[in-house]
Coordinates of all heavy atoms in Angstrom, one line a residue:
M1128 N -50.2 9.6 73.4 CA -51.0 10.6 72.8 C -51.2 11.8 73.7 O -51.7 11.6 74.8 CB -52.4 10.1 72.4 CG -53.2 11.1 71.6 SD -55.0 10.6 71.5 CE -55.5 10.7 73.1
F1129 N -50.8 13.0 73.3 CA -50.9 14.2 74.1 C -52.2 15.0 73.7 O -52.6 14.9 72.6 CB -49.7 15.1 74.0 CG -48.5 14.4 74.6 CD1 -47.6 13.7 73.8 CD2 -48.2 14.5 75.9 CE1 -46.5 13.1 74.3 CE2 -47.1 13.8 76.5 CZ -46.2 13.1 75.7
M1130 N -52.7 15.7 74.7 CA -53.9 16.4 74.5 C -53.9 17.6 75.4 O -53.5 17.6 76.5 CB -55.1 15.5 74.9 CG -56.4 15.9 74.5 SD -57.7 14.7 75.0 CE -58.4 14.2 73.5
H1131 N -54.3 18.8 74.8 CA -54.4 20.0 75.6 C -55.6 19.8 76.5 O -56.6 19.1 76.2 CB -54.6 21.2 74.7 CG -53.4 21.7 74.1 ND1 -52.5 22.5 74.7 CD2 -52.9 21.5 72.8 CE1 -51.5 22.8 73.9 NE2 -51.7 22.1 72.7
I1132 N -55.6 20.6 77.6 CA -56.8 20.6 78.5 C -58.0 21.0 77.7 O -59.1 20.4 77.9 CB -56.6 21.6 79.7 CG1 -55.4 21.2 80.6 CG2 -57.9 21.8 80.5 CD1 -55.0 22.2 81.6
S1133 N -57.9 21.9 76.8 CA -59.1 22.4 76.0 C -59.6 21.3 75.1 O -60.8 21.2 74.9 CB -58.7 23.6 75.2 OG -57.6 23.3 74.3
E1134 N -58.7 20.4 74.6 CA -59.1 19.3 73.8 C -59.8 18.3 74.6 O -60.8 17.7 74.2 CB -57.9 18.7 73.0 CG -57.3 19.6 72.0 CD -56.0 19.2 71.5 OE1 -55.2 18.5 72.2 OE2 -55.7 19.4 70.3
F1135 N -59.3 18.0 75.8 CA -60.0 17.1 76.7 C -61.4 17.6 77.0 O -62.4 16.8 77.0 CB -59.2 16.9 78.0 CG -59.8 15.9 78.9 CD1 -59.8 14.5 78.7 CD2 -60.5 16.4 80.0 CE1 -60.4 13.7 79.6 CE2 -61.2 15.5 80.9 CZ -61.1 14.1 80.7
Q1136 N -61.5 18.9 77.3 CA -62.8 19.5 77.7 C -63.8 19.4 76.5 O -64.9 19.1 76.7 CB -62.6 21.0 78.1 CG -63.9 21.6 78.6 CD -63.7 23.0 79.1 OE1 -62.6 23.5 79.3 NE2 -64.8 23.6 79.4
E1137 N -63.3 19.6 75.3 CA -64.1 19.5 74.1 C -64.6 18.1 73.9 O -65.7 17.8 73.5 CB -63.3 20.0 72.9 CG -64.1 20.0 71.6 CD -65.4 20.8 71.6 OE1 -65.5 21.8 72.3 OE2 -66.4 20.4 70.9
M1138 N -63.6 17.1 74.1 CA -64.0 15.7 74.0 C -65.1 15.3 75.0 O -66.1 14.7 74.6 CB -62.8 14.8 74.3 CG -63.0 13.3 74.1 SD -61.6 12.4 74.6 CE -61.8 12.4 76.4
M1139 N -65.0 15.8 76.2 CA -66.0 15.5 77.2 C -67.4 16.2 76.8 O -68.4 15.6 77.1 CB -65.6 16.0 78.6 CG -64.4 15.3 79.2 SD -64.5 13.5 79.2 CE -65.6 13.3 80.6
K1140 N -67.3 17.3 76.2 CA -68.5 18.0 75.7 C -69.2 17.2 74.6 O -70.4 17.0 74.7 CB -68.1 19.4 75.1 CG -69.3 20.3 74.9 CD -68.8 21.7 74.5 CE -69.9 22.7 74.4 NZ -69.4 24.0 74.1
Q1141 N -68.4 16.6 73.7 CA -69.0 15.8 72.7 C -69.7 14.6 73.3 O -70.8 14.2 72.8 CB -67.9 15.3 71.7 CG -67.2 16.4 70.9 CD -68.1 17.1 70.0 OE1 -69.1 16.5 69.4 NE2 -67.9 18.4 69.8
I1142 N -69.1 14.0 74.3 CA -69.6 12.8 74.8 C -70.8 13.0 75.8 O -71.8 12.3 75.7 CB -68.5 12.0 75.6 CG1 -67.3 11.6 74.7 CG2 -69.1 10.7 76.2 CD1 -66.1 11.0 75.4
Y1143 N -70.7 14.1 76.6 CA -71.6 14.2 77.8 C -72.4 15.5 77.9 O -73.2 15.6 78.8 CB -70.8 14.1 79.1 CG -70.2 12.7 79.3 CD1 -68.8 12.5 79.4 CD2 -71.0 11.6 79.4 CE1 -68.3 11.3 79.6 CE2 -70.5 10.3 79.7 CZ -69.1 10.2 79.7 OH -68.5 8.9 80.0
F1144 N -72.2 16.4 76.9 CA -72.8 17.8 77.2 C -74.4 17.7 77.3 O -74.9 18.4 78.2 CB -72.5 18.7 76.0 CG -73.0 20.1 76.3 CD1 -72.4 20.9 77.3 CD2 -74.0 20.7 75.6 CE1 -72.8 22.2 77.6 CE2 -74.5 22.0 75.9 CZ -73.9 22.7 76.9
K1145 N -75.0 16.9 76.5 CA -76.5 16.8 76.6 C -76.9 16.3 78.0 O -77.7 17.0 78.6 CB -77.0 15.9 75.5 CG -78.5 15.9 75.4 CD -79.0 15.2 74.2 CE -80.6 15.2 74.0 NZ -81.2 14.5 75.1
R1146 N -76.3 15.2 78.4 CA -76.7 14.7 79.7 C -76.3 15.7 80.8 O -77.1 15.8 81.8 CB -76.0 13.4 80.0 CG -76.5 12.2 79.1 CD -75.6 11.1 79.1 NE -75.4 10.5 80.4 CZ -76.0 9.4 80.9 NH1 -76.8 8.7 80.1 NH2 -75.8 9.0 82.1
D1147 N -75.1 16.3 80.7 CA -74.6 17.2 81.7 C -75.6 18.4 81.9 O -75.9 18.8 83.0 CB -73.2 17.7 81.4 CG -72.2 16.6 81.6 OD1 -72.4 15.7 82.4 OD2 -71.1 16.8 81.1
S1148 N -76.0 18.9 80.7 CA -76.9 20.1 80.7 C -78.3 19.7 81.4 O -78.8 20.5 82.1 CB -77.2 20.5 79.3 OG -76.1 20.9 78.6
E1149 N -78.7 18.5 81.1 CA -80.0 18.1 81.7 C -79.9 17.9 83.2 O -80.8 18.3 83.9 CB -80.5 16.8 81.0 CG -81.0 17.0 79.6 CD -81.2 15.8 78.8 OE1 -81.0 14.7 79.3 OE2 -81.5 15.9 77.6
R1150 N -78.8 17.4 83.6 CA -78.5 17.2 85.1 C -78.4 18.6 85.8 O -78.9 18.7 86.9 CB -77.3 16.4 85.3 CG -77.1 16.0 86.8 CD -75.7 15.3 87.0 NE -75.5 14.3 86.0 CZ -74.6 14.4 85.0 NH1 -74.0 15.6 84.8 NH2 -74.5 13.5 84.1
G1151 N -77.7 19.5 85.1 CA -77.6 20.9 85.7 C -76.4 21.1 86.6 O -75.6 20.1 86.9
I1152 N -76.2 22.3 87.0 CA -74.9 22.7 87.7 C -74.9 22.0 89.1 O -73.9 21.4 89.4 CB -74.9 24.2 87.9 CG1 -74.7 24.9 86.5 CG2 -73.8 24.6 88.8 CD1 -75.0 26.4 86.5
K1153 N -76.0 22.1 89.8 CA -75.9 21.5 91.2 C -75.7 20.0 91.2 O -74.9 19.5 91.9 CB -77.3 21.9 91.9 CG -77.4 21.4 93.3 CD -76.6 22.4 94.3 CE -76.9 22.1 95.7 NZ -76.2 21.0 96.3
G1154 N -76.4 19.3 90.3 CA -76.3 17.8 90.3 C -74.9 17.4 89.8 O -74.3 16.5 90.3
T1155 N -74.4 18.2 88.8 CA -73.0 17.9 88.3 C -72.0 18.2 89.4 O -71.0 17.4 89.6 CB -72.8 18.6 87.0 OG1 -73.8 18.3 86.1 CG2 -71.4 18.3 86.4
F1156 N -72.1 19.3 90.1 CA -71.2 19.6 91.2 C -71.3 18.5 92.3 O -70.2 18.1 92.8 CB -71.6 21.0 91.8 CG -70.7 21.3 93.0 CD1 -69.4 21.7 92.8 CD2 -71.2 21.2 94.3 CE1 -68.6 22.0 93.9 CE2 -70.4 21.5 95.4 CZ -69.1 21.9 95.2
N1157 N -72.4 18.0 92.6 CA -72.5 16.9 93.6 C -71.8 15.7 93.1 O -71.2 15.0 94.0 CB -74.0 16.6 93.8 CG -74.7 17.7 94.6 OD1 -74.1 18.5 95.3 ND2 -76.0 17.7 94.6
W1158 N -71.8 15.4 91.8 CA -71.1 14.2 91.3 C -69.6 14.5 91.5 O -68.8 13.5 91.9 CB -71.4 14.0 89.8 CG -72.5 13.0 89.6 CD1 -73.8 13.3 89.3 CD2 -72.5 11.6 89.8 NE1 -74.5 12.2 89.2 CE2 -73.8 11.1 89.5 CE3 -71.5 10.7 90.1 CZ2 -74.1 9.7 89.5 CZ3 -71.8 9.3 90.1 CH2 -73.1 8.9 89.8
L1159 N -69.1 15.7 91.2 CA -67.7 16.0 91.3 C -67.3 15.8 92.8 O -66.2 15.2 93.1 CB -67.5 17.5 90.9 CG -66.1 18.1 91.2 CD1 -65.0 17.3 90.5 CD2 -66.1 19.5 90.8
V1160 N -68.1 16.3 93.7 CA -67.8 16.2 95.2 C -67.7 14.7 95.5 O -66.7 14.3 96.2 CB -68.8 16.9 96.0 CG1 -68.7 16.6 97.5 CG2 -68.8 18.4 95.8
D1161 N -68.6 13.9 95.1 CA -68.5 12.4 95.3 C -67.2 11.8 94.8 O -66.6 11.0 95.4 CB -69.7 11.7 94.7 CG -71.0 11.9 95.4 OD1 -71.0 12.5 96.5 OD2 -72.1 11.5 94.9
E1162 N -66.9 12.2 93.6 CA -65.6 11.7 93.0 C -64.4 12.1 93.7 O -63.4 11.4 93.9 CB -65.5 12.0 91.5 CG -66.6 11.4 90.6 CD -66.5 9.8 90.6 OE1 -65.5 9.3 91.0 OE2 -67.5 9.2 90.3
V1163 N -64.4 13.4 94.2 CA -63.2 13.8 95.0 C -63.2 13.0 96.3 O -62.1 12.6 96.7 CB -63.4 15.3 95.4 CG1 -62.3 15.8 96.4 CG2 -63.2 16.2 94.1
A1164 N -64.3 12.7 96.9 CA -64.3 11.9 98.1 C -63.8 10.5 97.8 O -63.1 9.9 98.6 CB -65.8 11.8 98.7
E1165 N -64.2 9.9 96.7 CA -63.7 8.6 96.3 C -62.2 8.6 96.1 O -61.5 7.7 96.5 CB -64.4 8.1 95.0 CG -65.8 7.7 95.3 CD -66.5 7.2 94.0 OE1 -65.8 6.9 93.0 OE2 -67.8 7.2 94.0
L1166 N -61.7 9.7 95.5 CA -60.2 9.9 95.3 C -59.5 9.9 96.7 O -58.5 9.2 96.9 CB -59.9 11.1 94.6 CG -58.4 11.5 94.5 CD1 -57.6 10.4 93.8 CD2 -58.2 12.9 93.8
G1167 N -60.1 10.6 97.7 CA -59.6 10.6 99.0 C -59.6 9.2 99.7 O -58.6 8.9 100.3
E1168 N -60.6 8.4 99.4 CA -60.6 7.0 99.9 C -59.5 6.2 99.3 O -58.8 5.5 100.0 CB -61.9 6.4 99.6 CG -63.1 6.9 100.5 CD -62.8 6.7 102.0 OE1 -62.4 5.6 102.4 OE2 -62.9 7.7 102.8
E1169 N -59.3 6.4 98.0 CA -58.2 5.6 97.3 C -56.8 6.0 97.8 O -55.9 5.2 97.9 CB -58.3 5.8 95.8 CG -59.3 5.0 95.1 CD -59.2 3.5 95.3 OE1 -58.1 3.0 95.6 OE2 -60.3 2.8 95.2
L1170 N -56.6 7.3 98.2 CA -55.3 7.7 98.7 C -54.9 7.0 100.0 O -53.7 6.9 100.3 CB -55.3 9.2 98.9 CG -55.5 10.1 97.6 CD1 -55.6 11.6 98.0 CD2 -54.3 9.8 96.6
K1171 N -55.9 6.5 100.7 CA -55.6 5.8 101.9 C -55.0 4.4 101.7 O -54.3 3.8 102.5 CB -56.9 5.6 102.8 CG -57.5 6.9 103.3 CD -58.8 6.6 104.0 CE -59.5 7.9 104.3 NZ -60.9 7.7 104.8
G1172 N -55.3 3.9 100.5 CA -54.7 2.5 100.1 C -53.5 2.6 99.3 O -52.8 3.7 99.3
N1173 N -53.1 1.6 98.6 CA -52.0 1.6 97.7 C -52.3 1.0 96.4 O -51.4 0.4 95.8 CB -50.7 1.0 98.4 CG -51.0 -0.4 98.8 OD1 -52.1 -1.0 98.5 ND2 -50.1 -1.1 99.5
D1174 N -53.5 1.1 95.9 CA -53.9 0.6 94.6 C -53.7 1.7 93.6 O -54.6 2.6 93.4 CB -55.3 0.1 94.6 CG -55.7 -0.5 93.3 OD1 -55.1 -0.3 92.3 OD2 -56.7 -1.3 93.3
R1175 N -52.6 1.7 92.9 CA -52.2 2.8 92.0 C -53.2 2.9 90.8 O -53.5 4.0 90.4 CB -50.8 2.7 91.5 CG -50.3 3.8 90.8 CD -48.8 4.2 91.1 NE -48.4 5.4 90.4 CZ -48.3 6.6 91.0 NH1 -48.4 6.7 92.3 NH2 -47.9 7.6 90.3
I1176 N -53.6 1.8 90.3 CA -54.5 1.8 89.1 C -55.8 2.4 89.5 O -56.4 3.2 88.8 CB -54.7 0.4 88.6 CG1 -53.3 -0.2 88.1 CG2 -55.7 0.4 87.4 CD1 -52.6 0.4 87.0
A1177 N -56.3 2.0 90.7 CA -57.6 2.5 91.1 C -57.5 4.0 91.4 O -58.4 4.8 91.1 CB -58.1 1.7 92.4
T1178 N -56.4 4.4 91.9 CA -56.2 5.9 92.2 C -56.1 6.6 90.9 O -56.7 7.7 90.8 CB -54.9 6.1 93.0 OG1 -54.9 5.3 94.2 CG2 -54.7 7.5 93.4
E1179 N -55.5 6.1 89.9 CA -55.4 6.8 88.6 C -56.8 7.0 88.1 O -57.2 8.0 87.5 CB -54.6 5.9 87.6 CG -53.2 6.2 87.6 CD -52.4 5.4 86.5 OE1 -53.1 5.0 85.5 OE2 -51.2 5.3 86.6
K1180 N -57.7 5.9 88.2 CA -59.1 6.0 87.7 C -59.8 7.1 88.5 O -60.7 7.8 87.8 CB -59.7 4.7 87.8 CG -59.2 3.7 86.8 CD -59.9 2.3 87.0 CE -59.3 1.3 85.9 NZ -59.8 0.0 86.1
E1181 N -59.6 7.3 89.7 CA -60.3 8.3 90.5 C -59.8 9.7 90.0 O -60.6 10.6 89.9 CB -60.1 8.1 92.0 CG -60.8 6.9 92.5 CD -62.3 6.8 92.3 OE1 -62.9 7.8 92.0 OE2 -62.8 5.7 92.2
F1182 N -58.5 9.8 89.8 CA -58.1 11.1 89.2 C -58.8 11.4 87.9 O -59.2 12.6 87.6 CB -56.5 11.1 88.9 CG -55.7 11.5 90.1 CD1 -55.1 10.6 90.9 CD2 -55.5 12.9 90.4 CE1 -54.3 11.0 92.0 CE2 -54.7 13.3 91.5 CZ -54.1 12.3 92.3
A1183 N -58.9 10.4 87.1 CA -59.6 10.5 85.8 C -61.0 11.0 86.0 O -61.5 11.9 85.3 CB -59.6 9.2 85.0
D1184 N -61.7 10.4 86.9 CA -63.1 10.8 87.2 C -63.2 12.2 87.7 O -64.1 13.0 87.3 CB -63.7 9.9 88.3 CG -64.0 8.5 87.8 OD1 -64.2 8.3 86.5 OD2 -64.1 7.5 88.6
V1185 N -62.3 12.6 88.5 CA -62.3 14.0 89.0 C -62.1 15.0 87.9 O -62.9 16.0 87.8 CB -61.2 14.2 90.1 CG1 -61.1 15.7 90.5 CG2 -61.6 13.4 91.4
I1186 N -61.1 14.8 87.0 CA -60.9 15.7 85.9 C -62.1 15.7 84.9 O -62.5 16.7 84.4 CB -59.5 15.5 85.2 CG1 -59.2 16.8 84.4 CG2 -59.5 14.3 84.4 CD1 -57.8 16.8 83.9
A1187 N -62.7 14.5 84.8 CA -63.8 14.4 83.9 C -65.0 15.2 84.4 O -65.7 16.0 83.6 CB -64.2 12.9 83.7
W1188 N -65.3 15.1 85.7 CA -66.4 15.9 86.3 C -66.1 17.4 86.3 O -67.0 18.2 86.2 CB -66.8 15.3 87.6 CG -67.6 14.0 87.4 CD1 -67.2 12.7 87.6 CD2 -69.0 13.9 87.0 NE1 -68.2 11.9 87.3 CE2 -69.3 12.6 87.0 CE3 -70.0 14.9 86.7 CZ2 -70.6 12.1 86.6 CZ3 -71.2 14.4 86.3 CH2 -71.5 13.0 86.3
I1189 N -64.9 17.7 86.5 CA -64.5 19.2 86.4 C -64.8 19.7 85.0 O -65.3 20.8 84.8 CB -63.0 19.4 86.8 CG1 -62.9 19.3 88.4 CG2 -62.6 20.8 86.4 CD1 -61.5 19.4 88.9
A1190 N -64.4 18.9 84.0 CA -64.7 19.3 82.6 C -66.2 19.4 82.4 O -66.6 20.3 81.7 CB -64.0 18.3 81.7
S1191 N -66.9 18.4 82.9 CA -68.4 18.5 82.7 C -69.0 19.8 83.3 O -69.8 20.4 82.7 CB -69.1 17.3 83.3 OG -68.9 16.1 82.5
L1192 N -68.6 20.1 84.5 CA -69.1 21.2 85.2 C -68.7 22.5 84.4 O -69.5 23.4 84.2 CB -68.6 21.3 86.6 CG -69.1 22.3 87.6 CD1 -70.7 22.3 87.6 CD2 -68.5 22.2 88.9
A1193 N -67.4 22.6 84.0 CA -67.0 23.8 83.2 C -67.8 23.9 81.9 O -68.1 25.0 81.5 CB -65.5 23.7 83.0
N1194 N -68.1 22.8 81.3 CA -68.8 22.8 80.0 C -70.2 23.4 80.3 O -70.7 24.3 79.5 CB -68.9 21.4 79.4 CG -67.7 21.1 78.6 OD1 -67.0 21.9 78.2 ND2 -67.4 19.8 78.5
I1195 N -70.9 23.0 81.3 CA -72.3 23.5 81.5 C -72.2 25.0 82.0 O -73.2 25.7 81.8 CB -73.2 22.6 82.3 CG1 -72.6 22.3 83.6 CG2 -73.6 21.4 81.5 CD1 -73.6 21.4 84.5
M1196 N -71.1 25.4 82.6 CA -70.9 26.8 83.0 C -70.4 27.7 81.9 O -70.3 28.9 82.0 CB -69.9 26.9 84.2 CG -70.3 26.2 85.4 SD -71.6 27.0 86.4 CE -70.8 28.6 86.7
G1197 N -70.0 27.0 80.8 CA -69.4 27.8 79.7 C -68.0 28.4 80.0 O -67.6 29.4 79.5
I1198 N -67.3 27.6 80.9 CA -65.9 28.1 81.3 C -64.9 27.3 80.5 O -64.9 26.1 80.4 CB -65.8 27.9 82.8 CG1 -66.6 29.1 83.5 CG2 -64.3 28.0 83.2 CD1 -66.6 29.0 85.0
D1199 N -63.9 28.1 80.0 CA -62.8 27.5 79.3 C -61.7 27.1 80.3 O -61.0 28.0 80.9 CB -62.2 28.5 78.3 CG -61.0 28.0 77.5 OD1 -60.3 27.1 78.0 OD2 -60.8 28.5 76.4
L1200 N -61.6 25.8 80.7 CA -60.7 25.4 81.8 C -59.2 25.7 81.5 O -58.5 26.1 82.4 CB -60.8 23.9 81.9 CG -61.9 23.3 82.8 CD1 -61.7 21.8 82.8 CD2 -61.8 23.9 84.2
E1201 N -58.8 25.6 80.3 CA -57.4 25.8 79.9 C -57.1 27.3 80.1 O -56.1 27.7 80.7 CB -57.1 25.4 78.5 CG -55.6 25.5 78.1 CD -55.3 24.7 76.9 OE1 -55.4 23.5 76.9 OE2 -55.0 25.4 75.9
K1202 N -58.0 28.2 79.6 CA -57.8 29.6 79.8 C -57.8 30.0 81.3 O -56.9 30.7 81.7 CB -58.9 30.3 79.0 CG -58.7 31.8 78.9 CD -59.8 32.4 78.0 CE -60.4 33.6 78.7 NZ -61.8 33.7 78.5
A1203 N -58.8 29.4 82.0 CA -58.9 29.8 83.4 C -57.6 29.3 84.2 O -57.1 30.1 85.0 CB -60.1 29.1 84.0
A1204 N -57.2 28.1 83.9 CA -56.0 27.6 84.6 C -54.7 28.4 84.3 O -54.0 28.8 85.2 CB -55.8 26.1 84.2
L1205 N -54.5 28.7 83.0 CA -53.3 29.5 82.7 C -53.4 31.0 83.1 O -52.4 31.6 83.3 CB -53.0 29.3 81.2 CG -52.5 27.9 80.9 CD1 -52.3 27.7 79.4 CD2 -51.2 27.6 81.6
N1206 N -54.6 31.5 83.1 CA -54.8 32.9 83.6 C -54.4 33.0 85.0 O -53.7 33.9 85.4 CB -56.2 33.4 83.4 CG -56.5 33.9 82.0 OD1 -55.5 34.1 81.2 ND2 -57.7 34.1 81.6
K1207 N -54.8 32.0 85.8 CA -54.5 32.0 87.2 C -53.0 31.6 87.5 O -52.4 32.1 88.4 CB -55.5 31.2 88.0 CG -55.1 31.2 89.5 CD -56.2 31.3 90.4 CE -55.7 31.6 91.9 NZ -56.7 31.1 92.9
Y1208 N -52.6 30.6 86.8 CA -51.2 30.0 87.0 C -50.4 30.1 85.7 O -50.1 29.1 85.0 CB -51.3 28.5 87.4 CG -52.1 28.4 88.7 CD1 -53.4 28.1 88.7 CD2 -51.4 28.5 89.9 CE1 -54.2 28.0 89.9 CE2 -52.1 28.4 91.1 CZ -53.5 28.1 91.1 OH -54.2 28.0 92.3
P1209 N -49.9 31.4 85.4 CA -49.2 31.6 84.2 C -47.7 31.2 84.3 O -46.8 32.0 84.2 CB -49.3 33.1 84.0 CG -49.4 33.7 85.4 CD -50.1 32.6 86.2
H1210 N -47.5 29.9 84.5 CA -46.1 29.3 84.7 C -45.4 29.8 85.9 O -44.2 29.8 86.0 CB -45.3 29.6 83.4 CG -45.9 29.1 82.1 ND1 -45.9 27.8 81.7 CD2 -46.7 29.8 81.2 CE1 -46.6 27.7 80.6 NE2 -47.1 28.8 80.3
K1211 N -46.1 30.4 86.9 CA -45.5 30.8 88.1 C -46.6 30.8 89.2 O -47.8 30.9 88.9 CB -44.9 32.2 88.0 CG -45.9 33.3 87.5 CD -45.2 34.6 87.2 CE -46.2 35.6 86.8 NZ -45.7 36.9 86.5
C1212 N -46.2 30.9 90.5 CA -47.1 30.9 91.6 C -47.8 32.3 91.6 O -47.1 33.3 91.5 CB -46.3 30.7 92.9 SG -47.3 31.1 94.4
P1213 N -49.1 32.4 91.6 CA -49.8 33.7 91.6 C -49.6 34.5 92.8 O -49.8 35.7 92.8 CB -51.3 33.3 91.4 CG -51.4 31.9 91.9 CD -50.1 31.2 91.7
K1214 N -49.1 33.9 93.9 CA -48.9 34.7 95.1 C -47.5 35.3 95.2 O -47.3 36.5 95.5 CB -49.1 33.8 96.4 CG -50.6 33.5 96.6 CD -50.8 32.7 97.9 CE -52.3 32.3 98.0 NZ -52.5 31.1 98.8
C1215 N -46.5 34.5 94.9 CA -45.1 35.0 95.1 C -44.5 35.3 93.7 O -43.3 35.8 93.6 CB -44.2 34.0 95.8 SG -44.0 32.4 95.0
N1216 N -45.2 35.0 92.6 CA -44.7 35.2 91.2 C -43.4 34.4 90.9 O -42.6 34.9 90.1 CB -44.5 36.7 90.9 CG -45.8 37.4 90.7 OD1 -46.7 36.8 90.0 ND2 -46.0 38.5 91.3
A1217 N -43.1 33.3 91.6 CA -41.9 32.6 91.4 C -42.3 31.1 91.0 O -43.4 30.6 91.2 CB -41.1 32.5 92.6
S1218 N -41.3 30.5 90.3 CA -41.4 29.1 89.9 C -40.0 28.5 90.0 O -39.1 28.9 89.3 CB -41.9 28.9 88.5 OG -41.9 27.5 88.2
P1219 N -39.8 27.5 91.0 CA -40.8 27.0 91.9 C -41.2 28.1 92.9 O -40.5 29.0 93.2 CB -40.0 25.9 92.7 CG -38.8 25.7 91.9 CD -38.5 26.9 91.1
C1220 N -42.4 27.8 93.5 CA -43.0 28.7 94.5 C -42.1 28.9 95.7 O -41.5 28.0 96.2 CB -44.3 28.0 95.0 SG -45.1 28.8 96.4
Q1221 N -42.0 30.2 96.1 CA -41.2 30.5 97.3 C -42.0 30.9 98.5 O -41.4 31.4 99.5 CB -40.2 31.7 96.9 CG -39.4 31.5 95.7 CD -38.4 30.3 95.9 OE1 -37.8 30.2 96.9 NE2 -38.2 29.5 94.8
C1222 N -43.3 30.7 98.4 CA -44.2 31.1 99.6 C -43.8 30.3 100.8 O -43.3 29.1 100.7 CB -45.6 30.7 99.3 SG -46.4 31.7 97.9
T1223 N -43.9 30.9 102.0 CA -43.7 30.2 103.2 C -44.9 29.4 103.6 O -46.0 29.8 103.3 CB -43.3 31.2 104.4 OG1 -44.3 32.2 104.4 CG2 -42.0 31.8 104.2
F1224 N -44.7 28.2 104.2 CA -45.8 27.4 104.6 C -46.6 28.0 105.7 O -46.0 28.7 106.6 CB -45.3 26.0 105.0 CG -45.0 25.1 103.9 CD1 -43.7 24.8 103.5 CD2 -46.1 24.5 103.1 CE1 -43.5 23.9 102.4 CE2 -45.8 23.7 102.0 CZ -44.5 23.4 101.7
Ligands
ZN2786 ZN1 -45.7 31.0 95.9

């Protein structure tokens, strides 16, 4: 089953918006930071399933934060990354490391 980023964000809004709103921007951002740290821990091991779950948590908390900020993630992502690198305007990116 395929889903646009905007559909995922809307789904998260249906499930969590009330709780996310009550927690607020700072609290929700703190959860996102914790989940990014957990992803970092999983990357040190080789448990692919656990790593997938951490990726899921990170995108879920990004969607929650965007929802309470009123930011359209799909629009934001594609505005900044319109099928090419925003720095060198190429795909694949040709920037030097
Ligand atoms: Zn580039």
Side-chain angles (χ1 to χ4, degrees):
M1128 182 192 70
F1129 293 96
M1130 194 179 237
H1131 283 278
I1132 293 170
S1133 58
E1134 292 168 329
F1135 180 78
Q1136 185 174 354
E1137 181 59 32
M1138 182 188 80
M1139 297 306 287
K1140 191 173 187 175
Q1141 295 298 323
I1142 302 172
Y1143 295 117
F1144 187 70
K1145 187 171 182 295
R1146 290 166 60 101
D1147 288 339
S1148 298
E1149 288 166 2
R1150 186 186 315 101
I1152 292 164
K1153 184 79 169 78
T1155 302
F1156 176 75
N1157 288 342
W1158 269 103
L1159 171 61
V1160 170
D1161 285 351
E1162 293 299 341
V1163 170
E1165 287 179 17
L1166 174 60
E1168 286 302 308
E1169 281 303 334
L1170 293 177
K1171 294 174 187 171
N1173 56 5
D1174 186 340
R1175 188 139 184 108
I1176 301 295
T1178 303
E1179 274 187 19
K1180 287 178 180 171
E1181 294 303 337
F1182 270 102
D1184 287 338
V1185 169
I1186 196 171
W1188 283 102
I1189 286 175
S1191 280
L1192 187 57
N1194 279 335
I1195 55 180
M1196 296 286 298
I1198 286 176
D1199 180 334
L1200 274 181
E1201 185 165 292
K1202 188 175 131 216
L1205 289 173
N1206 277 347
K1207 177 140 191 205
Y1208 298 95
H1210 305 277
K1211 59 188 181 180
C1212 171
K1214 288 182 184 153
C1215 65
N1216 285 319
S1218 177
C1220 169
Q1221 303 296 321
C1222 294
T1223 49
F1224 279 107

